[in-house]
Amino acid sequence: APGIGLAAPQIGILQRLTVIDISSEENPDKLHTFINPQIVHAEGRIVWEEGCLSIPGAYEKVERSNKIVVQALDRDGEEFELEADGLLAVAIQHEIDHLDGVVFLDHLSSLKRRMALKKYKKHLEAMEKERLEKQNSRPWSQFEPASKPTHRLHGDARFRRPIPRRPDPEQARCRGRGHQPRPPQRSR
């Protein structure tokens, strides 16, 4: 997926873990893993246009701290401290927000949030339309058998399903409720 960060809760893993990759051609090894990250110092302000893999198609400007110091464990369980600024600082704050159950829309005014959600809805509708167009553009010949079957499915005993037997009404009444069936009544 196109993005620079991913928090474990975004993929259903309820752990305080995030990865951020701000690699580029100049700096190919910029993959960071943060386990139990905590921002211990923040200063300055920066406005950055953010998007999110959880809300595709929505992008808005968000104000965050420009410089931060974060403490965390690396993937080997070793504690480390990292000073970050600019894009890396914004990405770390964004991903820590996910760990705290916050998405970038929560930092916006209600008007901007509604506008971003409209963009998100339009994006979802466009994706669904594209999916349906792809589905409908397939030639039907690929779904038809190459040759006609030599036997009729309904008439061939190998393809018949057994007819289910109706259960005894008394047994059906008691099934699943922990009741025992009534004993047969004696005639007088």
Side-chain angles (χ1 to χ4, degrees):
I4 60 173
L6 187 66
Q10 287 179 278
I11 56 171
I13 300 172
L14 300 180
Q15 295 181 359
R16 291 190 59 83
L17 166 69
T18 184
V19 293
I20 298 173
D21 185 1
I22 58 166
S23 300
S24 64
E25 290 181 13
E26 303 88 45
N27 296 316
D29 296 323
K30 289 291 185 172
L31 176 66
H32 300 278
T33 303
F34 299 93
I35 301 169
N36 293 328
Q38 289 185 323
I39 296 174
V40 294
H41 179 74
E43 64 183 51
R45 302 307 289 167
I46 188 171
V47 176
W48 204 282
E49 186 174 64
E50 294 186 28
C52 185
L53 296 173
S54 300
I55 311 165
Y59 299 91
E60 286 296 330
K61 293 181 179 179
V62 177
E63 185 176 342
R64 296 198 183 263
S65 297
N66 185 35
K67 294 182 181 180
I68 62 168
V69 177
V70 64
Q71 289 180 343
L73 301 175
D74 63 14
R75 60 193 207 181
D76 297 320
E78 300 294 323
E79 191 171 324
F80 71 95
E81 189 172 282
L82 176 72
E83 290 184 29
D85 62 351
L87 175 60
L88 182 56
V90 169
I92 291 170
Q93 292 170 83
H94 179 104
E95 298 308 325
I96 289 176
D97 276 354
H98 280 299
L99 301 179
D100 295 334
V102 176
V103 292
F104 82 98
L105 297 179
D106 296 330
H107 292 280
L108 304 176
S109 68
S110 60
L111 176 62
K112 285 189 175 185
R113 185 179 309 121
R114 279 195 306 270
M115 290 171 41
L117 288 172
K118 282 183 183 180
K119 289 178 192 175
Y120 170 58
K121 185 177 178 182
K122 283 183 181 181
H123 180 78
L124 290 180
E125 288 169 353
M127 286 175 47
E128 181 65 11
K129 183 179 177 182
E130 183 180 323
R131 185 189 69 79
L132 290 173
E133 286 172 357
K134 281 183 183 178
Q135 181 180 354
N136 292 335
S137 68
R138 294 181 188 158
W140 286 102
S141 61
Q142 73 182 14
F143 298 108
E144 295 174 1
S147 63
K148 293 189 177 189
T150 57
H151 56 275
R152 295 184 56 202
L153 293 179
H154 298 292
D156 194 287
R158 294 177 296 168
F159 297 97
R160 282 193 195 144
R161 285 191 268 155
I163 299 171
R165 294 180 53 206
R166 290 189 171 190
D168 177 31
E170 188 61 33
Q171 297 258 337
R173 185 186 75 75
C174 300
R175 187 178 302 136
R177 291 194 238 146
H179 298 292
Q180 295 296 322
R182 292 186 203 149
Q185 294 183 358
R186 296 183 192 165
S187 56
R188 294 183 198 191

